Amino acid sequence: MHQPKRIIRFFTKLIDGGLCCGRPDETDRQMLARVGKQFVVLLLVITLFDDLLHLILGTVHFVVELLHLLFELIEESIEEIMEHTLHTTHHESEIFIINMVLILMVFGLYQLYQAWPRLYRSWRRNSRVIWLRFTRGQSLYWRTLPVGRKWKLIIAYMIGVFCLLFWFFL
């Protein structure tokens, strides 16, 4: 139950740390640099989306393969122990292991079915808290900005959007 609190603390640090919205004490140069970094990251994500997706899927595939190898190692170890201690054949050991895995999977799915409403309510509540903190932080930041800084921020974002659109439709 500590995991959602860690997630909330992480996103609170992101928001309060000035990564999502600026700090009132930042200079114009720091504000423009922050906006520029946001647009550079957005440009990289959009242009390298296929490569990023390939990297993520490759990483997931690698982790699944490692888990499969771990499962095979455990299965083979249990099989050898059963064959030597219970004097079973290879086929009987495999049947026993498959049945045990199926029973454990059904039990795990039943436990997930029982816990799903509580997990869903917790996720919904925590995501709402994160969203409200983010929007309140953005609103507070915008309200504390002087009018001149607001215009600079609006113009910086307009220039960034223009540059992105110019880059993509050129």
Side-chain angles (χ1 to χ4, degrees), residues 45 48-64:
V45 167
L48 300 174
F49 182 76
D50 187 39
D51 295 329
L52 290 173
L53 187 63
H54 182 69
L55 178 70
I56 291 169
L57 291 177
T59 304
V60 168
H61 182 264
F62 179 72
V63 169
V64 168

Side-chain angles (χ1 to χ4, degrees), residues 6-161:
R6 287 183 191 162
I7 293 171
I8 290 173
R9 269 189 265 133
F10 172 73
F11 281 107
T12 303
K13 285 180 184 176
L14 281 179
I15 293 168
D16 294 342
L19 295 177
C20 294
C21 61
R23 295 184 306 271
D25 60 340
E26 71 181 351
T27 64
D28 288 344
R29 183 176 294 252
Q30 290 171 336
M31 179 189 66
L32 293 175
R34 178 178 49 83
V35 172
K37 288 176 192 174
Q38 289 173 351
F39 277 105
V40 167
V41 168
L42 182 64
L43 177 71
L44 288 175
V45 167
I46 291 173
T47 55
L48 300 174
F49 182 76
D50 187 39
D51 295 329
L52 290 173
L53 187 63
H54 182 69
L55 178 70
I56 291 169
L57 291 177
T59 304
V60 168
H61 182 264
F62 179 72
V63 169
V64 168
E65 286 294 324
L66 283 178
L67 289 174
H68 179 255
L69 287 174
L70 179 66
F71 175 75
E72 287 291 330
L73 178 71
I74 292 171
E75 178 194 14
E76 189 67 32
S77 300
I78 293 173
E79 219 173 272
E80 288 293 322
I81 291 170
M82 283 181 61
E83 287 177 9
H84 289 295
T85 57
L86 301 175
H87 304 293
T88 59
T89 64
H90 180 71
H91 179 71
E92 291 170 340
S93 300
E94 282 188 350
I95 295 297
F96 179 78
I97 290 172
I98 288 172
N99 286 332
M100 289 307 297
V101 167
L102 287 175
I103 288 170
L104 289 174
M105 283 178 51
V106 167
F107 179 73
L109 288 173
Y110 178 73
Q111 292 296 319
L112 180 64
Y113 173 75
Q114 292 290 321
W116 183 255
R118 181 177 36 87
L119 292 173
Y120 177 71
R121 280 192 307 270
S122 173
W123 173 80
R124 205 170 77 193
R125 181 180 58 246
N126 291 333
S127 62
R128 191 172 293 152
V129 165
I130 290 169
W131 175 251
L132 285 174
R133 283 186 182 169
F134 174 73
T135 55
R136 285 179 185 157
Q138 291 283 11
S139 176
L140 178 66
Y141 172 67
W142 183 255
R143 282 185 276 140
T144 58
L145 282 179
V147 176
R149 170 91 44 98
K150 286 180 184 179
W151 278 109
K152 290 176 186 175
L153 192 61
I154 290 170
I155 291 170
Y157 276 109
M158 287 175 63
I159 290 172
V161 169

